[in-house]
Amino acid sequence: MKQLRRATTAVHVRRRDLFKYIDFRRTLSAQFSSQVADALTTITLANVLVFKFSDGPSLSAMASTLVVSLIPLILVGPIAGDLTDRFDRVRLLSRGHLLRAAFTALAVFSAVEIFSGRRAIGYFCFCVLLGLTRILYTARATSLSFLVRRHELVAADSSSLILSVIAGTCGSSIYFALTHRLPAAGFVVAALLQIFAARNYGRIETKIGGGRQNRNQLNHRQLFEQLRLPKTRFAMSATTSHRFLLGICIASIAVMIDKSFNMQTTGYLAVLGFSASGSFLGSISAEWISEQFPRRTITVIAFALASAVIGIATVFAHPRVALGSVLLCAFAFQNLRVRSDATIQANSPAASIGKIFAAYDVLYNFAFISGGVIGIAATSMLSYQTVLTSACVTYFVAAIFFAKLKDGKVAQVSVVATHPSGHRSIMPTPERQFAN
């Protein structure tokens, strides 16, 4: 019989304890500054150039967003991992954010109405910044496994994701409070924040991989074999399939809300808001849940919970019920995603962790975009109940499938090994310069 709960939770990690590690503090402070700048830049560029959410229904808004999201994913995603492994990550993060500061500053010209080429410059900066985001996200995410011990990875990843939401809120608040009437000032503030992020990344003293440290990188055959290992395969397939179904549900529910209230893009924005709220709550709960339940149980619960709430949304077909279902689905996915992130980070060879994590990141993000496209197409041809019933049944079948799929777990003896990401006990070494 499969073990549903962990035999012991003796190893408890508090997120605030991780901030005793000085380089972890520097990394998250740099991340926060950068993501505040990202939010401020994105919303300012959107207002100046791209998105007018009052123009058209949710189908159009969602389709536009998905197309824009595909650009960096297809063009930059596949090479992000190779760049992360090939170059020293401290330098990559520091110089990459200086480059972002430069392009953010260049975007000032897109806000100057008397400049004839302002729209072309704005779109150019927007695409370049999206591409840099994919590379630097991979570099930052793979650096965490060098900054904390393996049994602390879930807490570190959830802290990073919680900070992302707070940073996005701060960036939006700065825009509406200070810079919405003067977009050029918003770009200047964002550029300064990117420079601050570059400075903090440059101060990291721990060896976080890349460059000369990666002398034994895997060749293509070895990399493929690594991706086929049970732990890696289980994490990737679970996160990807859940994200795919979530994309379908979000698209279908958004269109249903639009039709119910005839309020244009209200459905799209409402679904995004509830999804973000569920993800935020999932990031908060991820560490506790990972301490209580093993990986397989978390996966099965994530799919079973999503199946149940989507089934309820199908039966009642009410906008408020549907939005609650989106929140709970996103909550379930985020717990699964944080756990899977830690699994990939903990079980990837240090010399090729960038390539493996980038493949994982591209896979589940592409799955979400594909799910959204399929959801849009299916909702235009089939009824809301039909689309959600299919998603509900698929979630349930997936829960059964992952309950049986080999996840690579072996019997462990040590207490540390029973904790998430602790497939072997890791002690601090000179390469992991933790602060006391």
Side-chain angles (χ1 to χ4, degrees):
M1 182 177 177
K2 301 291 184 182
Q3 182 181 345
L4 297 180
R5 297 195 63 166
R6 296 189 182 279
T8 176
T9 56
V11 180
H12 175 62
V13 180
R14 297 182 302 179
R15 292 187 185 91
R16 64 175 179 268
D17 290 339
L18 299 183
F19 288 86
K20 295 178 182 178
Y21 303 155
I22 186 170
D23 282 339
F24 182 78
R25 283 204 311 272
R26 288 169 176 164
T27 299
L28 261 63
S29 64
Q31 174 196 328
F32 180 78
S33 175
S34 174
Q35 290 181 329
V36 171
D38 287 346
L40 179 56
T41 302
T42 300
I43 195 170
T44 305
L45 275 173
N47 183 59
V48 172
L49 299 171
V50 187
F51 303 113
K52 294 181 179 179
F53 289 117
S54 60
D55 295 347
S58 279
L59 283 176
S60 300
M62 281 189 291
S64 299
T65 303
L66 292 172
V67 169
V68 170
S69 299
L70 271 174
I71 295 173
L73 194 67
I74 293 175
L75 297 181
V76 182
I79 65 172
D82 183 65
L83 292 175
T84 300
D85 289 333
R86 187 179 299 274
F87 298 102
D88 179 82
R89 290 195 188 109
V90 171
R91 293 183 180 180
L92 182 64
L93 286 165
S94 179
R95 295 177 183 179
H97 281 84
L98 286 177
L99 194 59
R100 296 181 86 183
F103 280 100
T104 302
L106 181 62
V108 169
F109 290 101
S110 68
V112 181
E113 294 185 4
I114 61 173
F115 189 73
S116 59
R118 68 189 188 95
R119 293 184 66 84
I121 288 179
Y123 284 117
F124 175 70
C125 292
F126 186 67
C127 291
V128 171
L129 290 171
L130 282 176
L132 286 172
T133 296
R134 299 258 37 105
I135 297 171
L136 297 176
Y137 166 74
T138 302
R140 187 185 75 243
T142 52
S143 297
L144 290 179
S145 60
F146 295 84
L147 297 172
V148 300
R149 291 170 291 184
R150 297 198 177 194
H151 69 279
E152 297 169 329
L153 274 170
V154 171
D157 287 330
S158 61
S159 298
S160 177
L161 291 169
I162 290 169
L163 206 64
S164 297
V165 176
I166 298 173
T169 303
C170 290
S172 301
S173 300
I174 291 173
Y175 172 79
F176 288 110
L178 301 175
T179 64
H180 70 286
R181 294 174 185 251
L182 191 60
F187 293 128
V188 172
V189 172
L192 292 174
L193 288 170
Q194 296 288 12
I195 292 173
F196 177 80
R199 175 180 176 272
N200 270 8
Y201 279 125
R203 294 173 64 201
I204 295 175
E205 298 177 359
T206 303
K207 295 179 180 179
I208 58 175
R212 294 181 180 178
Q213 301 173 50
N214 290 5
R215 297 176 180 176
N216 300 312
Q217 294 190 41
L218 303 181
N219 57 38
H220 292 297
R221 183 181 61 81
Q222 292 171 324
L223 185 64
F224 182 71
E225 291 176 354
Q226 185 69 32
L227 293 172
R228 292 183 59 193
L229 291 178
K231 285 186 179 181
T232 304
R233 185 179 66 235
F234 187 93
M236 285 189 172
S237 57
T239 308
T240 299
S241 53
H242 200 293
R243 188 72 163 162
F244 173 75
L245 294 170
L246 182 60
I248 293 176
C249 294
I250 283 178
S252 182
I253 289 173
V255 176
M256 183 273 286
I257 294 174
D258 273 4
K259 291 179 179 179
S260 298
F261 292 100
N262 193 27
M263 295 179 69
Q264 303 274 310
T265 55
T266 298
Y268 178 47
L269 298 178
V271 168
L272 286 183
F274 274 79
S275 177
S277 298
S279 297
F280 181 69
L281 294 174
S283 297
I284 293 174
S285 66
E287 171 58 27
W288 181 86
I289 288 178
S290 289
E291 287 182 352
Q292 302 300 317
F293 301 100
R295 177 174 56 251
R296 184 191 299 277
T297 302
I298 293 173
T299 303
V300 172
I301 290 175
F303 280 96
L305 176 61
S307 176
V309 298
I310 292 300
I312 293 172
T314 304
V315 172
F316 290 96
H318 190 280
R320 291 189 181 90
V321 176
L323 288 174
S325 298
V326 167
L327 187 148
L328 290 174
C329 277
F331 171 81
F333 170 77
Q334 195 71 352
N335 278 280
L336 174 61
R337 180 252 178 109
V338 173
R339 187 66 190 87
S340 296
D341 284 2
T343 298
I344 300 297
Q345 292 163 332
N347 293 283
S348 299
S352 298
I353 186 174
K355 296 183 183 68
I356 295 172
F357 194 89
Y360 160 71
D361 179 59
V362 168
L363 195 61
Y364 83 76
N365 277 298
F366 186 79
F368 178 73
I369 294 172
S370 301
V373 171
I374 291 173
I376 291 173
T379 305
S380 65
M381 297 183 293
L382 305 172
S383 68
Y384 164 80
Q385 285 84 359
T386 300
V387 175
L388 286 197
T389 297
S390 300
C392 171
V393 173
T394 307
Y395 268 126
F396 182 75
V397 172
I400 297 175
F401 173 77
F402 285 107
K404 302 294 184 180
L405 182 66
K406 183 179 179 181
D407 66 350
K409 183 176 180 180
V410 295
Q412 302 286 0
V413 177
S414 66
V415 172
V416 172
T418 63
H419 190 273
S421 303
H423 61 283
R424 68 172 184 261
S425 178
I426 301 295
M427 298 301 294
T429 68
E431 293 185 355
R432 297 170 180 258
Q433 299 168 9
F434 298 126
N436 295 321

